[in-house]
């Protein structure tokens, strides 16, 4: 016995979207005239009306052959601003020099180690500091990201490569940070937090200030649309399943 899936009318879904809108709206503070104004970045009801006629979408559970699998390598990644490489180089070198200088003064004047030993230890510390600086510089150059239609992708690492994919449906909060040296180079770090995570899922440094703010607004808008669309599809599925359950007893009685 087969059942036809009934077409879902927009009026049946709009009533359910009233509660969904309150739970899926993403609001972020925007500064206007020195005061914080809450801006609702979720899609308007007009866009919801356009999606309200969306029919129920069934998930295709058929397995895909391995030849059709999409790899991260097929996603073109964009590098961060080149100024970030210089920032990391200056930052790491400065910290290393300060640390080595303090440690050298302590070893010579406080610990009073013999000068022959100090002549070996201090150059070794300089070599270690130079190595750390170079590794951090290479790691900064290895950062790449991609803003896709359904997710944000980031790649880091030179020896152990780490690729992170954050779907917009899980994106909950985005923050921008800027340290003293980043302010000097007009750069910002974008941090993306997912639902149920206390720490940033994605921490993307080396973004130009205007680009970082524009990307933040874009990701928030995409997250709101993705959450709203998912809610509409879930409502469609629920209404369809309810109608099927109501028609099954009637069909059984008709057959008898």
């Amino acid at each position: 016995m087969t059942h036809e899936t009934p077409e879902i009318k927009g009026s049946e879904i709009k009533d359910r979207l009233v509660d969904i809108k309150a739970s899926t709206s993403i609001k972020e503070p925007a500064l206007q005239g020195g005061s914080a104004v809450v801006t609702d970045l979720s899609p308007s009801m007009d866009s919801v009306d356009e999606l309200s006629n969306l029919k129920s979408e069934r998930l295709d559970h058929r397995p895909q052959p391995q030849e059709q699998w999409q790899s991260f390598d097929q996603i073109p990644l964009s590098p961060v601003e080149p100024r970030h490489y210089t920032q990391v180089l200056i930052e790491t070198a400065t910290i290393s020099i300060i640390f080595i200088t303090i440690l050298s003064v302590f070893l010579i004047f406080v610990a009073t180690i013999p000068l022959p030993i100090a002549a070996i230890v201090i150059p070794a510390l300089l070599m270690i500091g130079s190595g750390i600086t170079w590794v951090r510089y290479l790691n900064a150059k290895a950062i790449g990201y991609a803003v896709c239609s359904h997710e944000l992708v980031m790649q880091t690492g030179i020896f152990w490569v780490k690729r992170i994919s954050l779907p917009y449906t899980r994106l909950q909060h985005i923050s921008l940070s800027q340290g003293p040296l980043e302010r000097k180079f007009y750069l910002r770090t974008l941090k993306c937090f997912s639902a149920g995570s206390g720490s940033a899922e994605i921490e993307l440094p080396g973004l130009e200030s205007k680009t970082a703010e524009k990307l933040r607004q874009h990701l928030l808008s995409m997250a709101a649309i993705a959450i709203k669309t998912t809610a509409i599809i879930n409502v469609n599925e629920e209404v369809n399943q309810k109608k099927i359950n109501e028609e099954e007893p009637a069909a059984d009685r008709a057959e008898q």
Side-chain angles (χ1 to χ4, degrees), residues 26-31 37 39 41 147 152 168 171-177 188-192 204 207-224:
I26 297 181
K27 297 183 178 181
E28 288 294 326
L31 295 179
V37 179
T39 304
L41 295 176
V147 183
L152 176 65
Y168 297 142
L171 185 58
Q172 188 177 46
H173 174 65
I174 301 175
S175 66
L176 294 175
S177 62
R188 289 190 178 187
T189 299
L190 184 138
K191 299 180 181 180
C192 299
L204 180 60
L207 295 177
E208 201 272 335
S209 295
K210 293 182 179 180
T211 302
E213 182 59 35
K214 186 176 180 180
L215 177 58
R216 173 178 173 272
Q217 296 293 333
H218 173 73
L219 294 177
L220 288 173
S221 299
M222 294 298 293

Side-chain angles (χ1 to χ4, degrees), residues 61-211:
H61 295 286
R62 292 176 298 178
Q64 288 184 331
Q66 187 173 354
E67 293 76 14
Q68 297 182 6
W69 294 357
Q70 185 178 10
S71 172
F72 268 112
D73 298 334
Q74 298 175 347
I75 302 177
L77 300 178
S78 302
V80 297
E81 288 291 327
R83 298 194 302 271
H84 177 63
Y85 313 149
T86 307
Q87 172 219 323
V88 170
L89 195 63
I90 295 175
E91 183 181 82
T92 310
T94 302
I95 294 175
S96 299
I97 291 174
I98 293 175
F99 176 77
I100 293 173
T101 301
I102 294 175
L103 185 59
S104 299
V105 171
F106 174 80
L107 292 176
I108 295 175
F109 297 99
V110 178
T112 61
I113 64 173
L115 291 179
I117 297 179
I120 298 175
V121 172
I122 294 176
L125 292 175
L126 289 173
M127 292 181 62
I128 294 174
S130 300
I132 294 175
T133 302
W134 183 246
V135 169
R136 285 207 62 196
Y137 175 77
L138 294 179
N139 188 68
K141 295 194 70 174
I143 297 176
Y145 69 98
V147 183
C148 304
S149 56
H150 302 288
E151 61 189 354
L152 176 65
V153 179
M154 178 181 175
Q155 176 176 305
T156 58
I158 50 178
F159 301 112
W160 291 273
V161 179
K162 181 179 180 181
R163 297 185 179 99
I164 304 173
S165 175
L166 180 61
Y168 297 142
T169 52
R170 292 186 54 211
L171 185 58
Q172 188 177 46
H173 174 65
I174 301 175
S175 66
L176 294 175
S177 62
Q178 188 179 53
L181 201 55
E182 286 180 316
R183 192 177 300 111
K184 179 71 175 177
F185 286 92
Y186 303 100
L187 299 175
R188 289 190 178 187
T189 299
L190 184 138
K191 299 180 181 180
C192 299
F193 298 83
S194 62
S197 177
S199 58
E201 191 83 12
I202 287 182
E203 188 168 341
L204 180 60
L207 295 177
E208 201 272 335
S209 295
K210 293 182 179 180
T211 302

Side-chain angles (χ1 to χ4, degrees), residues 17 42-52 225 228-229 232:
L17 291 176
S42 61
S44 62
M45 285 304 297
D46 294 336
S47 61
V48 175
D49 290 340
E50 295 177 359
L51 293 173
S52 62
I225 294 174
K228 191 82 68 177
T229 304
I232 292 174

